[in-house]
Amino acid sequence: MDPRKGDVEDDASSTKRRSMLSLAGSLLAEISLPKLALAWFLLIGLPCLLLGVAPLLASIWLGTISSKASALFTGIWPALLLATFAALGWFGGRPLWRMAESNFWSLNSLAVQPAYVLCREGLRQLVENLLPSGTVKRRRSVIQALTAALAGLIVSSLALWVALLIWPASRWTGRLADLGAPTDLILAALANSIVLIAGYLAAAALIWGLADALMDQPHDLDAFHPEPATGRTWRVVHLSDIHTVGERFGFRIESGRSGPSGNHRLKQVFATLDRIHAQSPLDIILITGDLTDAGRSAEWSEFFDALTPYPHLAERVLALPGNHDVNVVDRANPARLDLPTSPNKRLRQLRTISALGALQGARVQIADKETGDFGGTLNKALSSYRNDMKTFADQGSFRLSWPLSELWASVFPMVQPPETEDGLGVIVLNSNAETHFSFTNALGLVSIEQIHAMEAAMSRYPHAAWIIALHHHLVEYPRPVKALSERIGTALINGSWFVRHLRRFSGKALVMHGHRHVDWIGKCGDLLIVSAPSPVMEATDDEETYFYIHTMLRDSEGHLALMKPQRIYLSGKRAP
């Protein structure tokens, strides 16, 4: 056996070599059940229990203190209560808001999104298999809208049925004596939580389905802008999902032996760009996530080793985190999970922040969360944290991770301002949802805090054009797929909301992302969206891969437009 060519062990987590059913079977056989039970309790069970018991405890509290209400609001108590709430708002307002927002979307990712998307994409897969190949785009858009509405109606009806089924076991008022029977209280609380979550699922799925049905459906770009005789253009290299590995002959998690081994394909990318840049200068090299295969130190080191020989390219690189950079717990074992209290997730985040600081720390600005103003660079923001980061990287304790908990959220979005008032700027978002499980690492989320900062940056340069860069795809695109699993569980949880939010920037901004490893250029309404292929993931060592160089310009109406992109092929090289 030639160890450089790999073997079946390299396919352990590969979705290209193994089916999702096979991977799920391995996961069930290998997963740590005690750790899974504890994680479920902390992430799902405890919040559900608190949700269900809240109305009972509230009614007990109100009943107990109603006779003493007048005393509560006399003397020193009002002042103390006011001071307490003011302190909570001052010191904990933003973290509490971020936690509430994250938990809200986590509930959607657990309850609404999987059920709704599974139903919607299952219907679309069924219908598309029945459609003739020549079906016109308009008819496909109508079918997409109808399946979204139908999926919302189906999921809403099922959730409502569950809520009605459990309703007789629920109880919404309590008495002080109930505290002496904790078993009955817990059972009532669980029933309450099921009713509340099912009721929310019924309403949210219906709203989600109708919103998806009424929004502009994604469609392929009809035509590219012709090459202008004069005027400013920008040449932007769009790379994504390069999945750098830490071993010379290592294979990627998802591809196994169905993808290239080692990093020779990545080195070929930079060598090719070096030749192109010498002939026709490039403006931006944008890498939209998954720079590494699992966020390990050795992988980041290999990435920088591949880029270091090309300093003139490095000074044009802008990058952002993908799910493989921060959310993969163990690249060799999809059954591994981290408890919410584990510092390992924080360590992967800090590795990523350090790498982004080395790449673009002097060129990108971040928002001051207190004032909303931009101006301070990423390196300036990191300067006061560097000693704490080094100490945590050496020791990795939960106690040391706590002071760094705000850093990850505070550095996004990163903004590379336009060189001129009407130039091209880049907004770098973090679209990774908080997950602790290798098998569910791919979910995405863009926080409202990042949206507000993005709007502040764009309002500061009202005449500029913008690239909005993130890792996850916004919605599922009108492309045929072989398996239903390719369409489920990897897009933004709040993707359709994000698309509707971005419509106001149509004409002055376009979205660029990766994650799906496929190239697609299209629109949602008037919003331009560009998806990047992976130059390392969808072919074996002897097959060609490719990436794109996009040329952007302002059209006669001042809108940001795309010329036909240049496809750059990377020749295959047989493994030794």
Side-chain angles (χ1 to χ4, degrees), residues 423-569:
L424 178 68
V426 183
I427 297 175
V428 172
L429 299 172
N430 167 40
S431 61
N432 294 285
E434 288 285 333
T435 67
H436 307 275
F437 195 8
S438 285
F439 200 67
T440 59
N441 71 84
L443 285 174
L445 168 69
V446 176
S447 68
I448 190 65
E449 198 171 40
Q450 289 191 76
I451 299 299
H452 289 161
M454 179 187 74
E455 291 173 340
M458 297 176 80
S459 63
R460 185 174 178 181
Y461 301 92
H463 304 297
W466 294 94
I467 296 173
I468 300 173
L470 69 163
H471 180 58
H472 292 76
H473 54 297
L474 283 64
V475 292
E476 297 297 338
Y477 302 138
R479 290 177 57 105
V481 295
K482 295 179 181 179
L484 181 61
S485 59
E486 295 181 36
R487 311 177 73 142
I488 294 174
T490 60
L492 289 178
I493 299 168
N494 58 344
S496 57
W497 169 83
F498 188 46
V499 169
R500 287 190 291 272
H501 194 87
L502 290 176
R503 284 187 302 183
R504 74 178 84 173
F505 304 117
S506 298
K508 65 180 299 185
L510 63 81
V511 177
M512 304 187 85
H513 71 83
H515 194 47
R516 278 290 302 271
H517 306 170
V518 297
D519 52 314
W520 183 78
I521 302 175
K523 286 187 171 184
C524 274
D526 293 326
L527 180 67
L528 271 170
I529 301 175
V530 181
S531 173
S534 169
V536 305
M537 288 294 289
E538 303 303 321
T540 53
D541 279 302
D542 58 323
E543 296 176 317
E544 282 187 334
T545 56
Y546 58 89
F547 62 91
Y548 288 100
I549 299 177
H550 297 275
T551 302
M552 304 174 189
L553 73 158
R554 286 284 185 79
D555 63 18
S556 58
E557 297 179 354
H559 294 164
L560 187 61
L562 281 173
M563 292 169 53
K564 185 176 181 179
Q566 181 182 3
R567 181 183 285 194
I568 308 299
Y569 287 96

Side-chain angles (χ1 to χ4, degrees), residues 125-178:
Q125 185 85 346
L126 177 64
V127 172
E128 287 180 4
N129 287 337
L130 298 176
L131 286 176
S133 58
T135 303
V136 297
K137 294 179 181 178
R138 182 177 297 178
R139 188 176 179 185
R140 287 186 179 275
S141 295
V142 171
I143 290 173
Q144 287 177 330
L146 289 176
T147 52
L150 182 58
L153 185 61
I154 291 173
V155 174
S156 179
S157 300
L158 290 174
L160 188 59
W161 175 74
V162 171
L164 293 174
L165 187 67
I166 302 299
W167 178 265
S170 64
R171 184 156 56 92
W172 304 98
T173 59
R175 298 169 299 174
L176 192 60
D178 292 335

Side-chain angles (χ1 to χ4, degrees), residues 153-353:
L153 185 61
I154 291 173
V155 174
S156 179
S157 300
L158 290 174
L160 188 59
W161 175 74
V162 171
L164 293 174
L165 187 67
I166 302 299
W167 178 265
S170 64
R171 184 156 56 92
W172 304 98
T173 59
R175 298 169 299 174
L176 192 60
D178 292 335
L179 298 178
T183 302
D184 294 339
L185 194 66
I186 289 174
L187 291 176
L190 290 175
N192 290 353
S193 66
I194 293 173
V195 170
L196 289 171
I197 292 174
Y200 173 76
L201 174 58
L206 187 60
I207 294 171
W208 208 318
L210 291 175
D212 278 1
L214 295 174
M215 71 177 283
D216 295 316
Q217 298 300 312
H219 59 88
D220 297 340
L221 185 65
D222 294 326
F224 293 102
H225 196 281
E227 185 174 351
T230 59
R232 178 73 167 96
T233 60
W234 298 276
R235 281 165 53 79
V236 178
V237 179
H238 189 189
L239 301 174
S240 196
D241 299 271
I242 56 180
H243 288 260
T244 311
V245 291
E247 307 89 12
R248 183 179 176 189
F249 295 98
F251 290 92
R252 277 87 183 162
I253 295 172
E254 294 178 15
S255 61
R257 289 175 292 167
S258 293
S261 62
N263 298 317
H264 67 84
R265 195 70 61 114
L266 174 62
K267 294 176 181 178
Q268 190 181 355
V269 168
F270 291 138
T272 302
L273 288 177
D274 183 51
R275 293 193 298 270
I276 293 172
H277 180 66
Q279 298 169 358
S280 180
L282 304 166
D283 294 290
I284 299 170
I285 301 173
L286 180 63
I287 310 178
T288 51
D290 282 0
L291 285 78
T292 65
D293 204 42
R296 302 298 299 271
S297 295
E299 295 169 350
W300 283 114
S301 299
E302 288 291 323
F303 169 78
F304 280 105
D305 280 351
L307 183 60
T308 297
Y310 310 102
H312 48 288
L313 297 182
E315 65 188 15
R316 289 165 170 78
V317 169
L318 285 174
L320 55 89
N323 58 296
H324 278 256
D325 299 318
V326 294
N327 279 347
V328 173
V329 177
D330 187 340
R331 72 183 304 269
N333 183 5
R336 277 286 303 279
L337 61 88
D338 277 338
L339 293 176
T341 56
S342 171
N344 294 336
K345 176 69 170 285
R346 187 78 61 222
L347 184 58
R348 294 192 295 273
Q349 292 175 341
L350 293 182
R351 287 190 195 121
T352 302
I353 291 175

